[in-house]
Amino acid sequence: MAQKYRIYINEKVILLTESEPKKADSYERIDAQMFDLKIIYTWILAHHNKNFYIICTDAKLFMKNIIAGITLIEAAGGLVKSHKGEYLFIYRNDKWDLPKGKIEKDEKTKVAAVREVEEECGIKVGKLGEKICKTYHAYISKGEVVLKKTHWFDMSYKGKEKLTPQLEEGITDVRWFKPNHIDAIVQNTFPSILDVLVKENLIKDKPALLSE
């Protein structure tokens, strides 16, 4: 199966693909030969379009080369489902988000995912499930363009602990949402979170940003 990757920059996306997107008219094409994420980052932000794509013969190798030329920050987090069938979300930076954080030195990805969820929400994860997906987003850190790769996992919870937001991390609310109330999340979250929710079939209508 042909590989595809998305790099998010705020509300915009760069799709790395080995074939023309089905909805190519909603995208602007970027020349693969000229692509440099550090250079094009500011141009993407200033551009009126939201969707961009690059056609490459090997998307996996292309992404590997991007990572080799930029500072990569790896993070891990989870989508937690309760025994009542509700899903756990945090509120940070005026948007709904999923708990996640940087992987510490020599820490295993799965261990980091559980630790971050527990620290940010004040609960004890009952069970770690399968990996959902990986997401990528670029941003400015200490004056340079960096790329964050986040590993997302399914998790389950059967406890009755009181949710406690990790205030020192800028989290002001932690809340359980029923699947039929997730529309409220969709209206005010990050594109990478939408990616996770689509993978888990929690969004009925795929957002335009994720269409191909």
Side-chain angles (χ1 to χ4, degrees):
M1 182 180 291
Q3 293 279 356
K4 292 181 181 178
Y5 296 88
R6 292 186 185 88
I7 298 174
Y8 296 105
I9 299 176
N10 289 356
E11 303 299 320
K12 304 187 179 189
V13 63
I14 302 171
L15 174 67
L16 309 182
T17 177
E18 296 170 7
S19 59
E20 194 85 8
K22 293 178 181 178
K23 298 185 178 180
D25 57 341
S26 65
Y27 285 79
E28 180 168 337
R29 184 168 176 174
I30 298 173
D31 186 354
Q33 299 297 324
M34 304 293 290
F35 184 79
D36 185 322
L37 184 55
K38 290 181 180 179
I39 295 173
I40 207 168
Y41 177 88
T42 304
W43 180 83
I44 292 283
L45 283 180
H47 208 279
H48 66 278
N49 278 358
K50 283 192 172 183
N51 300 335
F52 302 84
Y53 76 100
I54 298 169
I55 291 184
C56 36
T57 54
D58 186 332
K60 185 175 182 179
L61 178 60
F62 197 89
M63 175 59 91
K64 185 177 180 179
N65 289 335
I66 290 174
I67 290 172
I70 200 167
T71 298
L72 181 71
I73 297 171
E74 294 209 58
L79 178 65
V80 184
K81 185 178 181 180
S82 74
H83 67 285
K84 295 181 179 180
E86 298 175 327
Y87 292 89
L88 187 63
F89 290 87
I90 63 174
Y91 196 73
R92 173 165 48 195
N93 297 329
D94 297 321
K95 285 185 179 290
W96 289 106
D97 201 350
L98 290 172
K100 66 180 183 302
K102 294 179 183 178
I103 300 172
E104 295 179 355
K105 185 179 180 181
D106 298 326
E107 186 178 30
K108 292 184 177 180
T109 303
K110 291 181 178 181
V111 172
V114 171
R115 175 182 57 75
E116 286 292 341
V117 169
E118 293 182 343
E119 289 177 357
E120 294 193 342
C121 303
I123 65 168
K124 191 73 176 176
V125 171
K127 183 180 179 181
L128 175 68
E130 297 296 318
K131 179 179 280 191
I132 301 170
C133 64
K134 292 174 284 191
T135 59
Y136 299 85
H137 77 274
Y139 60 99
I140 299 289
S141 176
K142 298 178 181 177
E144 73 166 320
V145 179
V146 300
L147 183 66
K148 179 175 281 187
K149 175 183 180 181
T150 304
H151 305 261
W152 296 103
F153 294 88
D154 272 319
M155 299 181 189
S156 60
Y157 173 73
K158 294 183 179 181
K160 297 181 180 179
E161 297 150 297
K162 181 181 178 181
L163 298 176
T164 306
Q166 191 178 20
L167 298 177
E168 59 268 31
E169 288 295 324
I171 303 168
T172 55
D173 195 7
V174 183
R175 197 179 302 181
W176 294 104
F177 281 80
K178 295 179 180 178
N180 60 338
H181 291 164
I182 285 180
D183 281 348
I185 301 293
V186 173
Q187 299 304 316
N188 186 30
T189 191
F190 302 97
S192 56
I193 302 303
L194 295 178
D195 221 345
V196 176
L197 299 181
V198 166
K199 290 287 194 307
E200 290 294 278
N201 296 314
L202 290 174
I203 299 179
K204 295 178 182 178
D205 299 317
K206 185 180 288 189
L209 192 68
L210 303 183
S211 63
E212 297 173 3

